[in-house]
Amino acid sequence: MASIMTLRGKAGVYVGAALLRLLLVVAFPGLPDLLTGRVEISTPVTSFKRLQEGLFLYNHNVWPYDGGVFHQAPLLLPLFSLLPDVRAWPILTSILYILVDVLSADALSRIADSGEAGQSRLFASPRKGKRASGLVVAAAFLFNPFTIASCIGRSTSVFTACAILHAVSRAVSGSVLNAMIALSFASYLSMYPILLLPPLVLLSYDRQPESRRTGSPLAFAAKCIAVTTTCLAVLLAMSYLLTGNSWEFLSRTYGIQLTLSDLTPNVGLWWYFFIEMFDSFRAFFLAVFWLHLTAYVGGLTVRIRTQPLAVLTILLGIFSIFKPYPSISDTSLFLAMLPLYWHVFPLMRYTYVASATLLYATFLGPAFYHLWIYAGSGNANFFYAITLVWSLGQSLLVTDLTFAILRDEWEVERPEMVGKEVKQI
């Protein structure tokens, strides 16, 4: 009876979220185009307008990267070419994005119901009983304004988020092959998810039944890497054939992220810094920024080895701050994983400050951008200043979650310190 009620509850949440999105699209026909043009939602590597440019060239048998505008994965083109013209039938494209959001929520629900956040193979939190249900976690994701805006704005980052959540969901359920394939698709679409491979391999290994966990961890990791590499090779080979037997698409898709050659403003930290950068120092600071982004992977994976799902959650928060072209879709993915750690929320210290900072930046960001671009009464410093506040709010949230997870682990190791204040010296 309880399972039937849960299924009905999930169905109600999914249908309600889908109807809300459809209602917004139908009631406000200009809203999708408005949101698509917002720099907070669309970036050079996720913009739906840029995808339409590439699709137009593709449908007219022109190399899609000729215009210098399209920077997304080539296999998105045949997918969207199956849909009717978005100007004539915009509702069908919206339905596709709504389905992707629902699939993401379903994967998130399965992750929550697994209980992995509170009890892993190597660690059991004393607070594990205070966890949020899969229904609540899915609802928090689907009704998050950032998620809704990304869906209606038709950012292609929703496909990446869906692939990442399904990779984690499959790893939690013990389906290693499907987890690695899903991560390969996410990495193919956006490149940065490949950095999630180490903690995802550990999560997959930990969730294997004892009878199947017979080989060494290194052999298991080698198999996972082999599957991921093979799947990525197949996707890239298909892209090679699709783009006229040319590897030049690599520089137009992944190269654009590595070199940051498109300095379109976004909510990240890179664009303004490299606008002001002298060309002679550009290569050095690109290496520094990428090293900073990747350095967290090894340290967190080793330090929080007992909780690989926590590593994945923290890394998603870090990527939403420090990746080259972030958007609110990346933030919504991190916020979607955050309720999984409901049991450690009482240990977090700065939730009010972080939440208030994010709300402050959310409301003032569009205003500052308007002052700069449209009103002409401000400059780039206006918008970049508010993106710094936005990044500060996310940083507070990520570091506070990390503290709470480590504090929870520490109290298990040192029971006599439960409830006592900790000061850094």
Side-chain angles (χ1 to χ4, degrees), residues 39-43 45-46 141 144 146-147 150 155-158 160-161 164 190 192-193 257 266-268 313-337 390 394 398:
V39 294
E40 299 90 347
I41 297 172
S42 298
T43 70
V45 294
T46 63
F141 169 74
N144 184 336
F146 296 154
T147 308
S150 299
S155 169
T156 54
S157 56
V158 301
T160 303
I164 291 173
S190 297
Y192 80 90
Q257 299 184 56
N266 54 70
V267 295
T313 303
I314 295 169
L315 284 177
L316 288 174
I318 291 171
F319 293 159
S320 70
I321 304 169
F322 296 116
K323 62 181 284 194
Y325 295 106
S327 67
I328 62 171
S329 177
D330 301 295
T331 305
S332 73
L333 179 57
F334 169 63
L335 294 178
M337 300 287 284
W390 170 258
Q394 292 186 89
V398 172

Side-chain angles (χ1 to χ4, degrees), residues 110-111 113-117 119-121 168-176 200-210 212-213 220 308:
R110 290 197 296 271
I111 297 170
D113 289 335
S114 70
E116 173 69 18
Q119 181 172 3
S120 62
R121 183 174 72 94
V168 177
S169 172
R170 296 303 179 185
V172 165
S173 64
S175 181
V176 183
L200 190 69
V201 170
L202 291 179
L203 178 61
S204 301
Y205 181 77
D206 288 351
R207 296 292 294 190
Q208 293 293 296
E210 289 289 343
R212 295 171 58 185
R213 204 185 309 118
F220 181 85

Side-chain angles (χ1 to χ4, degrees), residues 25-39:
V25 171
V26 173
F28 305 99
L31 184 60
D33 288 335
L34 173 66
L35 294 178
T36 299
R38 297 299 310 177
V39 294

Side-chain angles (χ1 to χ4, degrees), residues 28-367:
F28 305 99
L31 184 60
D33 288 335
L34 173 66
L35 294 178
T36 299
R38 297 299 310 177
V39 294
E40 299 90 347
I41 297 172
S42 298
T43 70
V45 294
T46 63
S47 170
F48 184 73
K49 284 186 176 179
R50 292 177 180 245
L51 175 62
Q52 289 300 299
E53 175 71 19
L55 188 62
F56 178 84
L57 297 176
Y58 172 76
N59 288 333
H60 288 80
N61 297 319
V62 179
W63 199 58
Y65 300 97
D66 268 349
V69 173
F70 178 62
H71 302 302
Q72 299 172 52
L75 292 183
L76 288 173
L77 297 174
L79 170 64
F80 279 88
S81 66
L82 298 174
L83 297 173
D85 186 356
V86 69
R87 291 170 296 182
W89 297 94
I91 193 69
L92 295 179
T93 302
S94 298
I95 289 173
L96 171 64
Y97 277 86
I98 291 170
L99 289 175
V100 172
D101 261 9
V102 171
L103 288 174
S104 299
D106 192 56
L108 196 58
S109 174
R110 290 197 296 271
I111 297 170
D113 289 335
S114 70
E116 173 69 18
Q119 181 172 3
S120 62
R121 183 174 72 94
L122 301 176
F123 175 77
S125 170
R127 302 172 175 84
K128 62 185 179 182
K130 300 178 181 179
R131 64 185 179 91
S133 67
L135 178 62
V136 172
V137 174
F141 169 74
L142 287 172
F143 292 99
N144 184 336
F146 296 154
T147 308
I148 296 172
S150 299
C151 177
I152 298 177
R154 298 165 296 189
S155 169
T156 54
S157 56
V158 301
F159 295 97
T160 303
C162 183
I164 291 173
L165 290 173
H166 274 274
V168 177
S169 172
R170 296 303 179 185
V172 165
S173 64
S175 181
V176 183
L177 178 64
N178 291 334
M180 296 304 128
I181 291 174
L183 184 68
S184 301
F185 273 93
S187 304
Y188 168 77
L189 291 173
S190 297
M191 191 176 76
Y192 80 90
I194 195 65
L195 296 174
L196 300 174
L197 182 60
L200 190 69
V201 170
L202 291 179
L203 178 61
S204 301
Y205 181 77
D206 288 351
R207 296 292 294 190
Q208 293 293 296
E210 289 289 343
S211 58
R212 295 171 58 185
R213 204 185 309 118
T214 54
S216 68
L218 289 178
F220 181 85
K223 292 178 182 177
C224 292
I225 293 172
V227 171
T228 305
T229 304
T230 303
C231 188
L232 274 174
V234 171
L235 291 171
L236 293 175
M238 293 171 63
S239 301
Y240 170 80
L241 296 175
L242 184 68
T243 54
N245 298 336
S246 170
W247 291 111
E248 196 174 344
F249 75 90
L250 293 174
S251 63
R252 302 297 182 92
T253 52
Y254 311 119
I256 200 83
Q257 299 184 56
L258 291 171
T259 61
L260 205 79
S261 54
D262 190 320
L263 293 173
T264 302
N266 54 70
V267 295
L269 302 173
W270 292 45
W271 65 274
Y272 186 82
F273 188 87
F274 283 95
I275 283 176
E276 302 294 330
M277 177 63 58
F278 290 111
D279 288 342
S280 56
F281 298 105
R282 183 180 174 85
F284 171 75
F285 279 99
L286 275 173
V288 170
F289 272 56
W290 272 108
L291 180 62
H292 176 259
L293 182 65
T294 56
Y296 291 100
V297 178
L300 286 171
T301 303
V302 172
R303 175 59 185 86
I304 320 181
R305 162 65 186 95
T306 56
Q307 303 181 70
L309 184 60
V311 178
L312 289 165
T313 303
I314 295 169
L315 284 177
L316 288 174
I318 291 171
F319 293 159
S320 70
I321 304 169
F322 296 116
K323 62 181 284 194
Y325 295 106
S327 67
I328 62 171
S329 177
D330 301 295
T331 305
S332 73
L333 179 57
F334 169 63
L335 294 178
M337 300 287 284
L338 200 58
L340 298 175
Y341 291 89
W342 182 262
H343 60 285
V344 298
F345 274 23
L347 298 176
M348 296 175 69
R349 302 166 295 174
Y350 306 117
T351 49
Y352 173 77
V353 176
S355 302
T357 304
L358 288 175
L359 285 173
Y360 174 85
T362 299
F363 287 110
L364 282 186

Side-chain angles (χ1 to χ4, degrees), residues 16-30:
L19 290 177
L20 173 61
R21 287 159 169 76
L22 281 176
L23 178 62
L24 290 172
V25 171
V26 173
F28 305 99

